[in-house]
Amino acid sequence: MKKQVINNVSWVGKNDWELRQFHGYEYSTNRGSTYNSFLIQEEKNVLIDTVFVPFAKEYVSNLASVIDLKKIDYIIVNHAEPDHSGALPELLSLIPDTPIYCTENAVKSLKGHYYKDWNFVTVKAGDKLSVGNGKDLIFIPAPMLHWPDSMFCYLTEDNVLFSNDAFGQHFCSELLFNDLVDQSELAEEAIKYYANILNPFSKFVTKKIDELIKLNLPIDYICTSHGVIWRDNPLQIVKKYAEWANNYQENQITVIYDTMYNGTRTIAENIVRGINIADKSINVKMYNAATNDKNDIITEILKSKAILMGSPTVNNGLMYATAGLLELIKGLKFINKKAAAFGCYGWNELASKKIDTLLREAGFEVILEPITSYWEPDADVIDKSIEYGKNFVSLL
Ligand code: FEO
């Protein structure tokens, strides 16, 4: 099966409706995902990316029903992670000499994954490959969007940007194009994808978008490697990336906590009361780190101008879910966000102190010393928590 994108460009990928976790268990994919592979059939036949390893046989079999595999002139590997390169060993066992166009870093990555000495042709920024009928593919390396080997390529005349992971969504749909799907679902998945995958590389995103603008290429389609193709106002997602990459924040505060006997939750709820009293316009949200999807919480952090994080002390440290979340937050390198810590304790105040330290290490500006409660919060702690929420707002 193939689905036409435009003229002689077709989608020949795989829709993975069952996928619920990605990158191991690091990313929840509650709406599944797609592995988008594209076939250009001009005077030359060009395959752009493949699919995830588990679907290699199915993919190659499908591709063989679409085109005589021996007629594929070139393979483009925009990115070597196995969700895009996973069918190469199966495919190249049938057409072993087919040239693979990719970056130098992709060669290292492909050799590291598969230990094969395929017919690699390395490309640099601005290199062109003629596909015939007056059309060229222009290569645009995009290092760190989101791996060193990542690359875009652009098909002239049809004005298609093949952006690989950038501008993607883990969002399965049979509808193929952005204008055909539920817009709120698409928006949710696009920002979740940015927050959890691209956010650490925001500086590179900004630079690449500036470069794209300078290239002045007309773009009618953005074919990402996950989710739907942007064809209706395709630059809307580029504009969103430019916003998300540039100190993004909404008028939101997110309060994240874990709790054993509801003491730390009580502090959280009263901090929220204080925030509400201080400024009713702030969209303040509360998430229990242990019972909510960690990737959804990360998305909420991207939207926030400030966060508060709390845990009771357990085993001289903090609770598991908050500890894991803080490690994720550190790696995702949020910038321009303020924070503070809180928590209950029976032995010592280590949990809130550790959260305070870890938030600073993660690049947050901690604007208040932690608020803590010795055992369950009493009326005094509740009053102080409300005041704490008000103070927090006054310092933003
Ligand atoms: Fe979709 Fe970086 O792989």
Side-chain angles (χ1 to χ4, degrees):
M1 184 182 68
K2 70 174 181 180
K3 296 180 182 181
Q4 187 191 32
V5 177
I6 174 72
N7 297 332
N8 296 320
V9 179
S10 306
W11 177 93
V12 289
K14 170 68 187 175
N15 286 343
D16 190 352
W17 284 98
E18 282 205 348
L19 191 76
R20 289 296 176 269
Q21 294 290 335
F22 190 73
H23 279 161
Y25 289 84
E26 286 290 280
Y27 188 115
S28 61
T29 47
N30 301 322
R31 294 189 174 100
S33 193
T34 74
Y35 316 109
N36 296 339
S37 170
F38 299 96
L39 184 63
I40 302 169
Q41 293 172 285
E42 295 289 352
E43 288 173 82
K44 299 290 185 184
N45 297 307
V46 185
L47 184 68
I48 299 178
D49 294 322
T50 69
V51 300
F52 194 23
V53 182
F55 304 103
K57 280 191 188 300
E58 176 187 334
Y59 167 80
V60 172
S61 164
N62 178 58
L63 191 61
S65 73
V66 169
I67 184 173
D68 176 354
L69 297 180
K70 293 193 170 54
K71 292 194 173 156
I72 296 174
D73 296 288
Y74 314 120
I75 297 170
I76 313 295
V77 171
N78 275 336
H79 177 35
E81 245 192 306
D83 52 321
H84 308 295
S85 68
L88 286 176
E90 180 77 16
L91 181 60
L92 287 160
S93 70
L94 303 171
I95 48 170
D97 300 324
T98 312
I100 296 175
Y101 287 71
C102 61
T103 63
E104 220 172 288
N105 279 323
V107 175
K108 288 183 208 163
S109 185
L110 289 168
K111 286 186 174 177
H113 283 299
Y114 305 112
Y115 293 90
K116 299 284 187 191
D117 210 7
W118 291 319
N119 181 11
F120 296 113
V121 181
T122 57
V123 296
K124 293 193 173 63
D127 286 355
K128 287 184 184 173
L129 177 66
S130 170
V131 300
N133 297 323
K135 300 180 184 180
D136 291 322
L137 269 175
I138 302 172
F139 298 105
I140 308 167
M144 304 319 295
L145 271 70
H146 66 131
W147 277 52
D149 70 297
S150 298
M151 177 171 80
F152 302 167
C153 56
Y154 174 83
L155 181 63
T156 63
E157 303 302 319
D158 290 325
N159 304 340
V160 183
L161 182 71
F162 298 94
S163 63
N164 196 262
D165 282 323
F167 312 124
Q169 332 90 45
H170 285 304
F171 179 29
C172 195
S173 173
E174 298 296 328
L175 295 172
L176 201 59
F177 297 106
N178 69 312
D179 49 301
L180 302 182
V181 299
D182 182 300
Q183 297 301 292
S184 59
E185 290 183 358
L186 175 58
E188 273 179 25
E189 294 302 338
I191 192 170
K192 177 181 173 184
Y193 187 97
Y194 188 90
N196 285 274
I197 296 178
L198 274 304
N199 196 69
F201 312 112
S202 288
K203 278 186 190 156
F204 296 93
V205 170
T206 303
K207 191 163 159 256
K208 188 50 58 183
I209 289 175
D210 288 347
E211 275 176 41
L212 270 181
I213 291 167
K214 279 185 193 135
L215 286 172
N216 207 20
L217 300 167
I219 295 175
D220 292 334
Y221 294 81
I222 297 179
C223 291
T224 86
S225 58
H226 297 292
V228 292
I229 294 165
W230 301 92
R231 74 170 175 187
D232 174 44
N233 184 14
L235 293 182
Q236 66 178 288
I237 189 63
V238 180
K239 285 184 193 138
K240 279 288 172 197
Y241 268 46
E243 284 176 29
W244 295 333
N246 184 23
N247 296 333
Y248 187 71
Q249 51 179 239
E250 298 176 13
N251 189 21
Q252 178 173 331
I253 296 174
T254 304
V255 181
I256 304 151
Y257 64 95
D258 202 347
T259 194
M260 291 170 76
Y261 300 110
N262 288 334
T264 301
R265 187 177 81 176
T266 300
I267 299 177
E269 286 175 340
N270 285 288
I271 291 173
V272 168
R273 280 176 69 189
I275 293 169
N276 268 320
I277 292 166
D279 187 343
K280 288 187 175 37
S281 74
I282 294 175
N283 187 9
V284 55
K285 298 184 182 178
M286 272 179 66
Y287 292 93
N288 183 317
T291 57
N292 283 280
D293 183 309
K294 63 187 183 309
N295 306 104
D296 288 342
I297 295 176
I298 291 295
T299 310
E300 296 302 333
I301 294 174
L302 175 64
K303 295 180 194 169
S304 299
K305 56 185 177 185
I307 68 168
L308 292 115
M309 196 146 182
S311 167
T313 300
V314 58
N315 297 330
N316 267 341
L318 50 149
M319 289 183 79
Y320 172 83
T322 41
L325 198 57
L326 279 160
E327 180 64 17
L328 256 184
I329 288 171
K330 187 178 175 189
L332 290 167
K333 296 189 175 138
F334 290 102
I335 48 175
N336 192 33
K337 300 201 186 289
K338 297 188 167 78
F342 61 95
C344 292
Y345 66 100
W347 300 347
N348 60 46
E349 295 173 290
L350 269 179
S352 50
K353 283 181 181 162
K354 275 192 179 174
I355 293 173
D356 182 293
T357 303
L358 291 168
L359 285 169
R360 290 173 199 271
E361 285 176 9
F364 286 75
E365 184 191 344
V366 176
I367 55 175
L368 280 176
E369 289 300 308
I371 178 168
T372 59
S373 178
Y374 183 50
W375 302 111
E376 296 295 326
D378 58 11
D380 182 50
V381 172
I382 287 172
D383 285 347
K384 283 181 177 156
S385 300
I386 295 169
E387 286 307 307
Y388 193 86
K390 290 186 199 169
N391 281 344
F392 190 77
V393 171
S394 73
L395 295 169
L396 294 180

